[in-house]
Amino acid sequence: MGTTKQPDEGLAPAVRDLLAAASERSRGDKPVSVEARSLSGAFERAEADGRTPLIAEVKPTSPTTSGERDVDPVAAAESMVAGGASAISVLTEPDHFGGSVEALQAVREAVSVPVLRKDFLLREAQLDAVAADAVLLIARFLDDLEGMIEAARDRGMTPLVETHTRDEIETALAAGAEVIGVNNRDLATLTVDRSTVDRLAPAVPDSATLVAESGIETAAHRDRMRKAGADGMLVGSAIMDGDIEANTRRLVAR
Ligand SMILES: O=C(O)c1ccccc1NCC(=O)[C@H](O)[C@H](O)COP(=O)(O)O
């Protein structure tokens, strides 16, 4: 279950490297069982209080970030929650994003909102490295997406299935995904094109939750994603750089 696709020739070199590193990583001796905090419930609460549903990401660095942000993950997550974030995403990929499963664990203990695990997971056993409320699965990298979705749900986690094309959205829906991320960042070039969500949102049915990902920096970008049909959005860099609480509040405001 959770078999990996063959190396994808069209990927950016940094993404090929991080997939090679991910394929070597195996963590988790026994299946985790999570009493998960509901992501859809958190989005509903935000809507009811007039906040934009936002997953704020603890992102120490990345292949497109220069240098490493010197920020304590727990302090960052607490500031995000104080600023009105509905959920927190924590990178657990260590080699290219400066993340760790320990950081996620500490964040989840410190906040009461749902915590998404952001990583490049290729095999079922990798789900067991740490308990998270939700987990990112990237459609492009998983042959047995349906198996990984089921495996995540069996552990109590909500799978957020990331896509970048109409075909990937169809694959994700056929595999049973209920929360679909549309990534504005193309993993072939690492460039961000915000029209990706404009173009692809109509392919996501109203019955699914649509999360717009990457390149959302300003209130105008947020409004554009919402107008396209995003139920929520995932923001890393624009929140991490500068005053984290104020940045979150600015993007959550309507
Ligand atoms: O962010 C990167 O440089 C990156 C490079 C290669 C693969 C994935 C990458 N990002 C993962 C993400 O999904 C983003 O961290 C997330 O969508 C937040 O994006 P942003 O708000 O633009 O920091």
Side-chain angles (χ1 to χ4, degrees):
M1 190 181 284
T3 50
T4 321
K5 289 189 171 166
Q6 288 308 302
D8 185 334
E9 294 298 331
L11 290 171
V15 177
R16 290 173 69 82
D17 283 358
L18 66 87
L19 284 178
S23 69
E24 299 295 310
R25 222 170 281 130
S26 67
R27 284 279 295 262
D29 309 328
K30 57 180 172 61
V32 294
S33 174
V34 188
E35 225 175 276
R37 305 166 191 165
S38 162
L39 187 61
S40 57
F43 277 17
E44 280 164 20
R45 279 193 295 283
E47 292 286 4
D49 317 332
R51 287 176 289 131
T52 301
L54 185 128
I55 307 173
E57 182 159 281
V58 177
K59 183 174 182 181
T61 187
S62 81
T64 61
T65 304
S66 65
E68 183 136 358
R69 300 178 176 104
D70 184 19
V71 181
D72 172 59
V74 169
E78 287 173 339
S79 298
M80 290 163 176
V81 172
S86 294
I88 305 296
S89 164
V90 180
L91 260 316
T92 56
E93 202 283 342
D95 301 323
H96 300 78
F97 290 84
S100 70
V101 293
E102 291 77 13
L104 185 143
Q105 206 162 19
V107 166
R108 191 161 184 266
E109 279 166 19
V111 301
S112 56
V113 299
V115 176
L116 168 74
R117 178 175 176 202
K118 197 79 186 301
D119 208 323
F120 295 79
L121 302 182
L122 303 175
R123 290 191 305 280
E124 180 174 346
Q126 294 173 331
L127 291 166
D128 297 320
V130 66
D133 302 290
V135 64
L136 187 91
L137 301 177
I138 303 177
R140 183 169 184 164
F141 302 146
L142 293 166
D143 262 337
D144 185 8
L145 179 60
E146 190 173 354
M148 281 291 268
I149 288 174
E150 255 176 51
R153 289 195 181 126
D154 285 348
R155 289 158 171 79
M157 305 180 206
T158 299
L160 189 168
V161 179
E162 178 177 300
T163 63
H164 183 69
T165 64
R166 194 172 290 267
D167 281 355
E168 286 171 8
I169 292 173
E170 281 167 16
T171 301
L173 292 169
E178 292 170 349
V179 186
I180 308 264
V182 173
N183 197 351
N184 285 313
R185 181 175 284 106
D186 182 353
L187 298 181
T189 59
L190 299 188
T191 53
V192 165
D193 176 357
R194 292 179 199 92
S195 72
T196 310
V197 169
D198 300 333
R199 276 187 293 104
L200 297 184
V204 178
D206 289 345
S207 55
T209 300
L210 168 58
V211 178
E213 298 176 30
S214 299
I216 302 159
E217 296 167 1
T218 65
H221 296 158
R222 171 202 65 209
D223 294 345
R224 176 176 179 174
M225 297 300 130
R226 291 286 273 178
K227 194 164 168 229
D231 296 296
M233 47 210 79
L234 190 148
V235 181
S237 311
I239 287 179
M240 289 295 289
D241 292 330
D243 181 332
I244 292 177
E245 182 176 334
N247 290 340
T248 308
R249 186 164 287 120
R250 178 173 53 83
L251 289 171
V252 157
R254 289 217 185 128

